[in-house]
Amino acid sequence: MKGLDSLWGTLDDIKPMRRTNQFILIITFLGCCWLGIQIVHETGHILGAWLTGGEVNRIVLCPWAFSRTDVEPNPHPLIVVWSGPVIGCVLPVIIYLIVRFLKWPGWYLYRFFAGFCLIANGLYISVGAFEKLADAGDMLRYGSPVWFLILFGGLTVPMGFVMWNGLGRHFGLGDAGGDVSKTAARVSLILFLIILISELVLSTV
């Protein structure tokens, strides 16, 4: 085992191998972020439904489709629909702050994910306000003014970019020259595969 670990360590010092680790980290973690944001967004809808006396009938989480949560009866649809993006933004930020406070390794991954959720949710709601699509369309039908949806995006999107600021080196960009944490790359790959396979299996049930 020692010999294999030594060989792996030697391979990781080779520039092409470093770039491979960087590629694995960036691609798989972006995949984790895309699937993860749908999970926390739908968690928001679910919590909103439970807290307002609604009944969740179906949750759709599928890699090749947009996620959704069907609630019926739904006594307070405006609260339920807003709970998705609001909790989808707040929850990842809280998790990141806890991780940062506890000084866990890989904190930058949590920070990137929090930024991703802020940007994606903000664009989803503010841009959707013009097309009246999906959650944004429901918000408008249930009484939210257009300016409020745009304001939501105007606050969350810049906050997301602030969260991303300075993280490039952790992903091997710039002066880092492709050098990333081998552990982060492997954990990201494993996590992505777990989420992907779980959703594929559950989507067929």
Side-chain angles (χ1 to χ4, degrees), residues 153-175:
L155 293 174
T156 56
V157 172
M159 289 172 59
F161 281 109
V162 169
M163 295 288 282
W164 277 359
N165 187 43
L167 295 183
R169 60 189 177 85
H170 296 289
F171 293 89
L173 303 176
D175 294 340

Side-chain angles (χ1 to χ4, degrees), residues 9-193:
T10 302
L11 288 173
D12 280 333
D13 289 333
I14 301 172
K15 189 171 182 179
M17 193 62 188
R18 289 206 307 270
R19 289 296 184 183
T20 299
N21 287 329
Q22 181 192 25
F23 178 81
I24 291 172
L25 176 61
I26 291 175
I27 296 301
T28 61
F29 195 66
L30 283 174
C32 287
C33 287
W34 173 247
L35 297 177
I37 188 179
Q38 296 186 58
I39 293 172
V40 292
H41 184 98
E42 299 311 320
T43 296
H45 288 315
I46 293 165
L47 291 176
W50 286 348
L51 292 173
T52 58
E55 184 177 334
V56 177
N57 302 127
R58 188 184 183 198
I59 304 164
V60 177
L61 288 170
C62 184
W64 56 78
F66 284 107
S67 61
R68 81 170 191 274
T69 299
D70 298 334
V71 180
E72 186 62 42
N74 190 0
H76 299 280
L78 187 58
I79 294 176
V80 172
V81 73
W82 268 108
S83 295
V86 171
I87 293 178
C89 286
V90 173
L91 184 58
V93 172
I94 291 175
I95 293 173
Y96 160 67
L97 292 174
I98 293 172
V99 167
R100 195 68 168 137
F101 177 77
L102 296 175
K103 298 180 179 179
W104 287 1
W107 59 268
Y108 55 91
L109 298 176
Y110 295 89
R111 181 169 170 175
F112 184 92
F113 178 60
F116 187 94
C117 290
L118 286 164
I119 294 169
N121 276 298
L123 290 175
Y124 174 56
I125 298 304
S126 58
V127 174
F130 295 99
E131 300 295 332
K132 300 180 181 181
L133 298 173
D135 283 354
D138 290 338
M139 291 169 181
L140 295 172
R141 280 192 294 275
Y142 297 136
S144 292
V146 174
W147 67 263
F148 194 75
L149 277 68
I150 297 172
L151 177 63
F152 179 80
L155 293 174
T156 56
V157 172
M159 289 172 59
F161 281 109
V162 169
M163 295 288 282
W164 277 359
N165 187 43
L167 295 183
R169 60 189 177 85
H170 296 289
F171 293 89
L173 303 176
D175 294 340
D179 190 22
V180 299
S181 166
K182 298 185 290 291
T183 300
R186 293 165 191 169
V187 169
S188 178
L189 174 60
I190 293 169
L191 180 61
F192 174 68
L193 291 175

